[in-house]
Amino acid sequence: MVLRGGDTEYTGDGSAVMGHPAESVACLVRILADFGTGIAAGDLVLAGSWSGAVDLLPDQEVHAAFGALGSVSLST
């Protein structure tokens, strides 16, 4: 969930990323294989976004909660 100034801006879950986040990683692996390369151990792979980008406007706070993983807040 992403809040801006206390109001809900976005909600989402993993199914927003090609049906499941693992599907976007599998798609990446297939595309890289076509180019004769792949993902190596230790590579950082971002599976996609569960929500859109949120502009951080002057004098606002944006808070994002990721369930058991925790949360983050940004303000200007």
Side-chain angles (χ1 to χ4, degrees), residues 15 23 26 34 37 41 59 61 72:
S15 66
E23 183 58 37
D34 287 344
T37 189
D59 300 319
E61 180 177 36
V72 63

Side-chain angles (χ1 to χ4, degrees), residues 33-63:
D34 287 344
F35 290 94
T37 189
I39 298 172
D43 284 352
L44 177 63
V45 176
L46 302 177
S49 176
W50 297 4
S51 70
V54 177
D55 292 331
L56 184 57
L57 304 173
D59 300 319
Q60 279 194 330
E61 180 177 36
V62 173
H63 178 82

Side-chain angles (χ1 to χ4, degrees), residues 7-33:
D7 297 323
T8 301
E9 189 78 19
Y10 292 105
T11 60
D13 61 42
S15 66
V17 183
M18 298 179 72
H20 189 284
E23 183 58 37
S24 66
V25 176
C27 181
L28 172 63
V29 168
R30 288 189 296 272
I31 291 169
L32 291 174

